[in-house]
Amino acid sequence: LLYVFSAELGQLFYKVPERQALAQSVLHMTAIALFFSYINQFFINICKAYHRFDIPAIIQNVGNLGGIILSTALLIMGYSIVEIMIGYIVIYAAGFIFGYLSCLKILTPEVKLGF
């Protein structure tokens, strides 16, 4: 819904068309990062079901700290909100991939995990 209604939300928050377009782009990127995070919760729950609490902790802590450190570094270097949001997407995509690969190693060979 955030992705679909990003244009309307941009218009709600800003009156200037350039700001509306920027808000729409940022909200699109936010929705993509949230999508990766949402799907990754499935993998985290698989790890918890197999009593592997270390892997979800690593995924969540590295993702949270990585996002904070990356956004702070990009902000200090003078990058815009768009580049910072791209960084967040990369962090969440990496967490998604790590979660998927971790589940492949945890699950028994009889259990097939696919997209």
Side-chain angles (χ1 to χ4, degrees):
L1 290 174
L2 181 62
Y3 192 91
V4 171
F5 294 109
S6 62
E8 290 79 9
L9 289 171
Q11 292 170 359
L12 179 69
F13 294 136
Y14 297 105
K15 302 295 181 212
V16 179
E18 293 81 19
R19 292 282 185 173
Q20 290 173 354
L22 177 62
Q24 181 178 1
S25 296
V26 170
L27 290 171
H28 279 161
M29 289 184 254
T30 301
I32 292 168
L34 288 173
F35 178 74
F36 282 133
S37 176
Y38 180 75
I39 293 176
N40 199 28
Q41 291 302 314
F42 173 76
F43 301 131
I44 288 172
N45 287 330
I46 288 175
C47 294
K48 289 179 181 178
Y50 280 81
H51 297 281
R52 290 298 307 265
F53 299 103
D54 55 334
I55 294 172
I58 291 169
I59 292 171
Q60 289 176 332
N61 289 333
V62 169
N64 291 337
L65 289 174
I68 292 168
I69 292 169
L70 181 65
S71 62
T72 303
L74 291 173
L75 189 62
I76 289 171
M77 292 188 294
Y79 287 95
S80 72
I81 187 71
V82 173
E83 286 90 5
I84 292 170
M85 291 308 299
I86 291 170
Y88 264 104
I89 291 172
V90 169
I91 293 288
Y92 280 106
F96 167 75
I97 292 167
F98 181 72
Y100 176 75
L101 294 175
S102 297
C103 285
L104 288 178
K105 291 183 179 184
I106 291 172
L107 293 172
T108 60
E110 297 84 29
V111 178
K112 301 294 181 205
L113 181 64
F115 289 104

